[in-house]
Amino acid sequence: MHLVTAERDALLKPIQTVSGIVERRHTLPILSNLLLTKTDGELSFLATDIEVQISTKAQCEKGQDAATTVAARKLLDILRALPAGANVSMELNNKKLNIKAGKSRFSLQTLAAEDFPTVSQSAEFKAGFTVGQKSLKALLALVQYAMAQQDIRYYLNGLLLIVEKGQAKVVATDGHRLAFAALAVESDVDRQEVIIPRKTVIELERLLDDSDEPIRIDIAPTQVRFQFGNVELVSKLVEGKFPDYNRVIPTGYKNSFSIAREELIGCLQRAAILTNEKFKGVRCVVGDGSLKISCTNTDQEEAQEEAEIDYSGDAIDIGFNVTYLLDVLAHVKSETITVALGDANSSALVTTPDNTEFKYVVMPMRI
Amino acid sequence: MIPEVYNFAMNAVPEGAGARPIRLLPDTLISQIAAGEVVERPASVLKELLENALDAGATAIDIRLDAGGVKRLRIADDGHGIPRDELAPALTRHATSKIASLEELENVASLGFRGEALASIASVADLTLTSRARGAPHAFALAGGHRDPARAALAAGTVIEVAELFGQVPARRKFLKSEATEFAHCGEALRRIALSRPEVSFTLAHNGRVAQHLKAETLEARITHVLGEEFARGARMVEAQAGPIGIIGMIGDPAQARASRDAQYFFVNGRFVRDKVLQHAVRAAYADVLHGDRQPAYALFITLPPAGVDVNVHPAKTEVRFRESQGIHQFVMRAVSAALSASAADAPVPMANAASGAPAAIVDGGADAVRPPAMFTPTPMSLFRAAPPAGQPQSQAAYFAMFSAAGATSRAMEAPAPSYLPAPLPEGDMPLGHAVAQLHGIYILAQNRAGLVVVDMHAAHERILYETFKKDLEGERIAAQPLLIPVAFNAERIEVATAGDYADALDRLGFEITPLSETSLAVRSVPALLADTDAKALARDVLKELQEFGSGEVLTRHRDELLSTMACHAAVRANRRLSLAEMDALLRQMEETEKSGQCNHGRPTWYQFALADLDRLFLRGR
C-alpha cells in the first residue's frame, strides 16, 4: 500500500521535530517507534514517551488511509543519510515499511498502530494564551538552565509557569540558584500555576524558532499543550508544590555594581582554570572601584583577575560556585549586567538593565 | 536471659496474681534471677571463673570440661587463694574483695567486681570451691549450700568445680545446645581471655583429652596461636599511644578478610568487649581497602585510665561506655589506618633511595641498539614524580650472588636476556623491582629480588591517584554551599536533638542543619563537594553517625566515593602502552603510596611470584 512520495527534506523535517523525545532505551519497544497516520491527504507523525507527546503533519497525495508505527531512530538515520533532494517513497507491505530512494531500498519492521500508546488529551484546557514563538523561546532561555536535574525533590526538575492577567512568569531553581523571568501576554485568565517537566521545556525550546509566528499555550489541571505551526506538543505536568520564589528573591540590597557581561565572563573563565576542579569555588572581592576575582587550587596555584567597576558600597568578600555565575552570564543577552549584594553570607542578585523582569539569585559558597 | 525471669513469673501468675502482698524475694531466688543475666551457658560460667582466677593473680590455669562443660567444669589456678574465713562469704551474693566503695568502682581495674558470679553459679549448679590461701597450712573446701569449710588437699591456688549446670533449672537447661556447640562456645570464651593475658598459660581439656595448650608467651605469639598462622602471616602490627590512651595489637590483611565477623577481638583494659564505636572505627579505617562486605580480622587492645570507661553497663561486661567516645573513635581509626597505610613496600620503604636516585639512569647500561630511543625518555607526566634510582653496586652484587647460588641454572636464564631485558639489570633493593614488560596492555611485569611481580596497572594507578586526591583535600577547610532553598524533612526527635548538640561539628563539616519544629529539620548548607548529592539522605546519615559514634565519617566516605570515581576515570586504562620508564615510575609511586596493595575497591593491585614458585612450576631444583 502506497503511503507517501515526497522529497527527502519534506519528510525529514517533521520526523526530526517529533523524534527528539524518543528515548533510546525502553522497556516498551513500541515507544521507540513513530506513529505514522495517513488520513485524507495528510500524513501525521507522532512520538511519545508517555509523559510528553509531539505530533506534526505534512501534506501528501490522497490515497487509501493507513496507519503504522516504525522505529524512529532508524527512519531518521536513513532519511538523513540519503542525498538531499532525493525523492523518497514509502510503502506499507506485509507489515514492513519499504523505503525507496533512487537505487536505495530499505525494509523496516513495523508494529501495529492500534498498540501505540497515545496520550489522551484532557478535555479541560481552560486557561490559554498566545505569544510569539521568539518571545517564548527567549523567555525559556533565560531560566531553563537553572532547572534541577534528577533531584529527589521532583518538583524542581521542571519549570514553574505562572499565567495571570496580562503576564506569564517562569521560574526555575535547583535549590542552589534560582532564575525568574516574566513576559507580557494577552490573557485574561485566572492565575494558573503549573510545573512543566524538564524534558518538555528543553524539547520545546529546541523546537521553537526565532519568528513572530504565534504559539498557543493551553493549560489543563494535569496537562499543558503547545500548538505552533503544524506542531502540537502535549505534556503531563509535574505535581507538587514549587518553592515560594518570592521569599527567595532578595529586595532592598544597597550594594550593587554593573559590569560588562563579556568582560566578566572572560575574567571568570580565566580564573576558573585554576579553581579546585571538584567544587569550582571562586572568590570575589568587591571594593571601591574594583572587582577582584581569585581562585586557588589544591596544588597551591593561584589566578587573579581584576575588573574596574563603578562601586562605592561596602567592601564585600564573597565566594561563589563559578559555574552558577557563568551559567547566567551565558544565557542573558544584554551588554551589561548588574550584581546586587547583601553581605558575604547572603545571596547575590543578578539583573539586567534591559529586562527589568529578569532576576537571578545565587547563594554564595563558604570557601 | 529473659526467658528465665519470665518463667518464674509465669509460674507465679496462675494463683491470682493481684491478691499477693509485696514481699522481698528469698535469697536463692534472687541469685537465680541474677544467674539469668550472667550465666547463660557453660561458656559464661567459664568466663566468670577465668576472670576470677586472673584477678587472683594466676599464672597458669587448667580447665577441664566434661560434656561441653554441662556435666562438669573444673578450673584450677595458682593464684593467691582464698582464706578459710572468706570461703563462705565468697559464695554469697554481692560479696567481693575487688571493690569496697563507689570511688573504687569508678576506677575498677579488676575484671570482676559485682560479687555475683559465684553466688549466681552456685544457685544453678553444684559448686565446690577448694582453695589454699598463700601461707596457709592446708586448703579448705566448701560446697555450695554449706556454711562450714572442710579441710582439703591442694598445693596452691583455687579449684572450682561446677557440676550439673542447670541441673535444678530444667527450663534453662532446654536452651543448652549440643555438647559440641557448648564446647565450641567455651573455646571461644577461652580465646577471648587467653588473648588478653598472654603471660598466663592455659590448658583446656575436654572429656579427659587436652584440646588446647597455650604456654606463657608474648602478645604477638599469643595472637598467632589463637587466630592462626594464616592470620599472622598477612597481619600488621598496630601500636599507638596518645597521652594515657594506648592501642596495641594486630590487624588482618585486607585481602584475607572473611565473610563473617567471628575473628574480631577488642579488649579494653584487658576486658573483651563488643562495642559498636570501636567496631565502627576499625571498619571506617578499612573502608576503602576491603572488597565488598568482607569483614576484617583483628585483635586489638586498648588501654586507658579506668576512669575513662564505664564497664558497669551490663552484668556480662561485654559492653562498655567511653567517657570520650568521639576521641576514642578517632584514635582507633587513625591507629588502624596508619597500620593499613603501609605501602606496597611493606617493610623497607626506600624513600631516601627514591629521592636521591639519578633520573632514569636505569636504561643507560647498553642494549640501546635493541629498543627505540623514544622509550627511554624520562616521562614528562607530572604524576610520575619519583625518578627511578640508579642501581647500587653492592646490591647488584647481592642480586647476582643470589642467582649464582642456582649455578648453571642462572646462566641459562641470562643467556637470552639481552634481547628483551633492559640490559644488565640494575637491581636496587626496590621492593617492587624494575619493570621488564607490559602484558596485553593490562599488567606490568617487574623483576625484583624475590622473583616476578605482576602489577595491575589500572588498579595501581587508581589507588595512587585516589590517595593523592585525598591528601590534597586533607587539611583544607571544607567549603560549604549554603542552599537557596533549604531542604526540609521530617525528622526523628533524636535527630533534631543531635542537630542541636553537634551544631559546631556539623558546621566544620560544611553543614548547617536547623530545627524547624520538634520533628522537622531544614538543611541550609551542604559541603560544596557534595552539593549534588541528595541533601536529605546525606544529612540523615551524618546525624545518625554523629549520634551513634560522635563522628561524621559518613561524609568522608561520600567524599571518598567521589574521589574514587574521579581516580578511576583519571587512571591509565587498559591497552595504554607504557614505556619502561613510565612503568618503573609507577612502581616507585606504588612503593610510596599508602594502601597501594589494594585498589579503591579492595582488589589487589600486585602479586608476587617468588622464584621458588616459578621453579616449582617447571619442576626445577628438586
Side-chain angles (χ1 to χ4, degrees):
Chain A
M1 188 193 338
H2 184 256
L3 209 58
V4 62
T5 306
E7 208 191 333
R8 181 195 81 147
D9 292 350
L11 290 172
L12 184 58
K13 183 146 187 311
I15 289 173
Q16 272 174 333
T17 301
V18 300
S19 56
I21 57 162
V22 177
E23 296 279 355
R24 275 171 191 263
R25 273 178 283 273
H26 261 305
T27 46
L28 194 55
I30 202 165
L31 285 180
S32 42
N33 282 9
L34 289 184
L35 175 65
L36 305 178
T37 318
K38 181 179 176 183
T39 33
D40 203 20
E42 240 180 22
L43 187 61
S44 83
F45 304 81
L46 187 147
T48 180
D49 72 347
I50 308 267
E51 298 282 307
V52 195
Q53 169 176 305
I54 304 182
S55 61
T56 185
K57 49 197 170 216
Q59 296 299 321
C60 67
E61 59 272 45
K62 291 216 173 191
Q64 198 181 341
D65 288 356
T68 188
T69 77
V70 65
R73 198 78 231 160
K74 290 172 196 158
L75 186 58
L76 183 63
D77 287 349
I78 289 170
L79 289 174
R80 241 198 232 134
L82 287 173
N87 214 30
V88 182
S89 84
M90 294 190 194
E91 275 176 27
L92 197 56
N93 275 333
N94 222 354
K95 295 191 175 172
K96 291 267 178 86
L97 182 73
N98 297 325
I99 303 169
K100 282 189 234 164
K103 293 195 191 270
S104 307
R105 296 285 182 279
F106 306 89
S107 175
L108 295 177
Q109 286 287 3
T110 63
L111 290 169
E114 307 85 79
D115 298 339
F116 197 78
T118 52
V119 174
S120 56
Q121 292 202 17
S122 168
E124 330 170 53
F125 285 108
K126 311 183 282 218
F129 62 97
T130 305
V131 288
Q133 286 196 37
K134 191 166 69 174
S135 338
L136 184 64
K137 191 178 169 91
L139 186 72
L140 294 179
L142 280 177
V143 301
Q144 58 83 1
Y145 54 90
M147 289 187 292
Q149 235 179 96
Q150 294 179 344
D151 198 292
I152 51 152
R153 291 166 288 172
Y154 53 92
Y155 49 82
L156 295 186
N157 304 324
L159 177 137
L160 177 70
L161 170 69
I162 302 164
V163 188
E164 51 194 23
K165 283 195 175 56
Q167 207 177 29
K169 299 174 185 167
V170 285
V171 190
T173 179
D174 61 1
H176 297 176
R177 34 63 185 282
L178 175 144
F180 169 92
L183 180 70
V185 294
E186 283 175 28
S187 79
D188 52 356
V189 295
D190 292 336
R191 185 182 163 90
Q192 300 274 330
E193 276 193 42
V194 294
I195 305 172
I196 304 172
R198 180 186 168 84
K199 188 175 176 183
T200 308
V201 173
I202 290 175
E203 196 57 30
L204 182 64
E205 199 197 346
R206 186 179 76 88
L207 293 178
L208 291 173
D209 49 22
D210 287 317
S211 70
D212 289 321
E213 292 293 307
I215 170 167
R216 169 81 191 166
I217 301 157
D218 288 298
I219 301 169
T222 59
Q223 272 184 358
V224 60
R225 184 177 66 197
F226 303 89
Q227 291 166 300
F228 50 102
N230 276 333
V231 182
E232 180 184 78
L233 189 159
V234 181
S235 166
K236 284 191 182 162
L237 294 172
V238 180
E239 287 174 39
K241 177 101 187 68
F242 203 82
D244 181 0
Y245 61 92
N246 280 319
R247 284 174 49 182
V248 170
I249 299 174
T251 50
Y253 277 174
K254 292 191 182 60
N255 303 309
S256 77
F257 62 88
S258 292
I259 186 168
R261 187 172 65 95
E262 295 289 348
E263 184 189 0
L264 184 55
I265 290 183
C267 287
L268 289 172
Q269 277 176 339
R270 287 188 296 271
I273 297 169
L274 294 188
T275 186
N276 185 321
E277 59 180 291
K278 285 136 214 155
F279 56 80
K280 301 268 179 204
V282 48
R283 189 173 156 210
C284 302
V285 181
V286 192
D288 269 345
S290 85
L291 165 67
K292 293 194 183 107
I293 295 171
S294 61
C295 281
T296 53
N297 65 10
T298 48
D299 293 335
Q300 317 296 323
E301 293 164 323
E302 195 173 347
Q304 287 204 11
E305 290 280 339
E306 185 167 351
E308 281 183 24
I309 52 172
D310 182 14
Y311 182 78
S312 56
D314 304 338
I316 294 174
D317 184 343
I318 190 168
F320 288 105
N321 181 331
V322 71
T323 14
Y324 294 157
L325 296 182
L326 287 172
D327 266 355
V328 62
L329 295 175
H331 287 90
V332 298
K333 296 289 171 237
S334 69
E335 286 285 305
T336 61
I337 57 134
T338 305
V339 181
L341 298 169
D343 58 45
N345 296 319
S346 323
S347 55
L349 176 66
V350 178
T351 49
T352 53
D354 56 355
N355 180 354
T356 51
E357 294 293 351
F358 173 74
K359 294 184 177 77
Y360 182 79
V361 189
V362 57
M363 276 315 256
M365 179 192 273
R366 242 172 46 207
I367 302 177
Chain B
M1 284 148 249
I2 296 156
E4 186 66 14
V5 180
Y6 194 56
N7 226 311
F8 283 114
M10 288 290 279
N11 291 340
V13 168
E15 326 223 337
R20 275 223 229 133
I22 296 173
R23 275 184 311 227
L24 269 181
L25 295 174
D27 232 35
T28 332
L29 185 51
I30 296 178
S31 286
Q32 281 172 330
I33 292 173
E37 290 174 335
V38 180
V39 183
E40 202 181 345
R41 54 176 14 136
S44 34
V45 174
L46 180 63
K47 169 188 173 271
E48 295 295 336
L49 298 182
L50 283 174
E51 288 184 352
N52 279 345
L54 293 173
D55 283 343
T59 59
I61 299 178
D62 181 73
I63 307 156
R64 292 183 199 173
L65 307 176
D66 284 335
V70 181
K71 194 154 170 242
R72 190 175 74 117
L73 192 154
R74 179 182 181 276
I75 294 182
D77 68 55
D78 59 353
H80 56 56
I82 308 170
R84 179 186 186 277
D85 296 345
E86 293 173 20
L87 283 175
L91 293 187
T92 319
R93 200 156 40 84
H94 302 312
T96 184
S97 61
K98 297 174 186 176
I99 55 167
S101 67
L102 179 62
E103 287 74 50
E104 285 185 40
L105 173 61
E106 280 170 0
N107 287 293
V108 71
S110 55
L111 294 170
F113 54 79
R114 297 171 63 99
E116 280 186 331
L118 282 182
S120 299
I121 297 166
S123 73
V124 293
D126 301 336
L127 185 142
T128 315
L129 173 61
T130 312
S131 186
R132 178 173 178 182
R134 213 156 273 164
H138 54 77
F140 287 92
L142 181 69
H146 296 266
R147 294 222 59 88
D148 296 312
R151 288 169 179 245
L154 184 66
T158 306
V159 174
I160 297 179
E161 196 162 329
V162 178
E164 300 299 332
L165 183 65
F166 298 134
Q168 308 301 314
V169 196
R172 180 48 72 93
R173 189 157 205 155
K174 272 187 235 146
F175 284 91
L176 292 179
K177 298 278 186 308
S178 71
E179 179 180 325
T181 310
E182 292 305 335
F183 176 61
H185 282 290
C186 288
E188 178 64 22
L190 174 63
R191 267 197 292 283
R192 290 173 186 175
I193 299 275
L195 277 174
S196 69
R197 299 295 285 271
E199 75 281 8
V200 178
S201 72
F202 295 89
T203 309
L204 172 68
H206 188 223
N207 294 339
R209 230 184 269 160
V210 173
Q212 190 164 29
H213 177 70
L214 296 163
K215 58 180 193 299
E217 55 201 344
T218 62
L219 178 61
E220 205 175 327
R222 180 57 62 87
I223 294 176
T224 308
H225 285 133
V226 173
L227 289 179
E229 296 282 344
E230 199 191 339
F231 166 83
R233 251 199 310 280
R236 294 138 197 237
M237 291 300 295
V238 176
E239 196 167 357
Q241 186 79 33
I245 307 173
I247 184 169
I248 189 163
M250 285 163 98
I251 54 172
D253 185 358
Q256 288 180 5
R258 29 183 123 186
S260 72
R261 318 168 158 254
D262 53 4
Q264 303 185 337
Y265 296 93
F266 241 117
F267 298 84
V268 173
N269 289 346
R271 184 184 313 250
F272 173 83
V273 297
R274 287 207 169 279
D275 182 79
K276 46 184 186 162
V277 172
L278 297 177
Q279 285 172 352
H280 185 269
V282 175
R283 186 75 216 178
Y286 268 94
D288 51 15
V289 292
L290 268 195
H291 190 67
D293 291 333
R294 314 227 102 203
Q295 296 288 340
Y298 51 82
L300 292 168
F301 302 82
I302 294 182
T303 47
L304 72 170
V309 57
D310 184 359
V311 289
N312 191 16
V313 178
H314 183 270
K317 305 186 197 81
T318 50
E319 283 174 38
V320 290
R321 250 182 236 132
F322 295 105
R323 301 265 139 91
E324 296 286 335
S325 66
Q326 195 173 349
I328 300 273
H329 185 278
Q330 288 294 321
F331 173 69
V332 172
M333 196 184 82
R334 295 238 169 88
V336 176
S337 290
L340 282 175
S341 299
S343 63
D346 268 331
V349 186
M351 288 294 218
N353 244 347
S356 65
I362 165 178
V363 286
D364 283 349
D368 21 13
V370 205
R371 35 189 75 249
M375 287 185 76
F376 298 132
T377 47
T379 161
M381 290 174 70
S382 68
L383 74 228
F384 297 123
R385 284 186 303 247
Q392 292 150 336
Q394 67 273 37
S395 53
Q396 199 173 333
Y399 166 74
F400 283 117
M402 198 176 79
F403 262 70
S404 59
T409 328
S410 69
R411 291 277 133 229
M413 271 192 76
E414 272 171 31
S419 60
Y420 57 88
L421 285 182
L425 228 161
E427 183 78 9
D429 45 3
M430 289 317 197
L432 291 179
H434 294 285
V436 291
Q438 195 181 13
L439 193 67
H440 285 285
I442 301 171
Y443 298 105
I444 296 172
L445 303 186
Q447 161 170 321
N448 70 355
R449 224 176 246 257
L452 172 71
V453 175
V454 180
V455 176
D456 178 339
M457 70 179 194
H458 173 75
H461 193 210
E462 195 177 335
R463 167 61 76 175
I464 291 169
L465 290 177
Y466 177 52
E467 292 298 328
T468 320
F469 289 160
K470 279 207 293 194
K471 213 174 282 164
D472 283 349
L473 280 183
E474 261 151 40
E476 279 214 358
R477 218 186 117 189
I478 294 180
Q481 173 66 64
L483 299 181
L484 186 61
I485 296 171
V487 179
F489 62 94
N490 289 329
E492 307 284 335
R493 275 166 203 276
I494 183 80
E495 290 175 321
V496 179
T498 310
D501 292 349
Y502 287 95
D504 287 348
L506 286 169
D507 182 64
R508 277 196 298 281
L509 297 170
F511 265 109
E512 190 188 342
I513 303 175
T514 54
L516 290 176
S517 74
E518 276 181 9
T519 54
S520 59
L521 285 170
V523 184
R524 296 182 186 278
S525 161
V526 293
L529 201 54
L530 302 173
D532 291 334
T533 42
D534 175 359
K536 175 181 151 189
L538 194 61
R540 281 216 131 130
D541 284 354
V542 171
L543 287 176
K544 179 158 181 280
E545 207 159 58
L546 280 174
Q547 171 208 328
E548 278 183 31
F549 310 112
S551 81
E553 283 314 314
V554 64
L555 269 196
T556 322
R557 218 154 54 231
H558 277 273
R559 185 200 75 179
D560 287 353
E561 265 167 35
L562 193 76
L563 297 185
S564 167
T565 318
M566 290 173 51
C568 186
H569 289 306
V572 288
R573 292 297 163 127
N575 290 325
R576 158 86 178 275
R577 281 214 172 276
L578 294 182
S579 69
L580 284 182
E582 283 174 307
M583 289 191 270
D584 268 334
L586 187 69
L587 296 177
R588 298 296 82 78
Q589 277 195 304
M590 286 176 67
E591 286 158 4
E592 289 176 20
T593 303
E594 293 181 346
K595 303 178 185 170
S596 58
Q598 284 81 30
C599 82
N600 310 346
H601 312 102
R603 288 189 298 270
T605 56
W606 63 283
Y607 219 91
Q608 171 89 57
F609 294 92
L611 272 184
D613 296 337
L614 298 176
D615 285 348
R616 241 194 318 279
L617 283 181
F618 296 96
L619 308 176
R620 294 183 84 137
R622 293 253 162 136

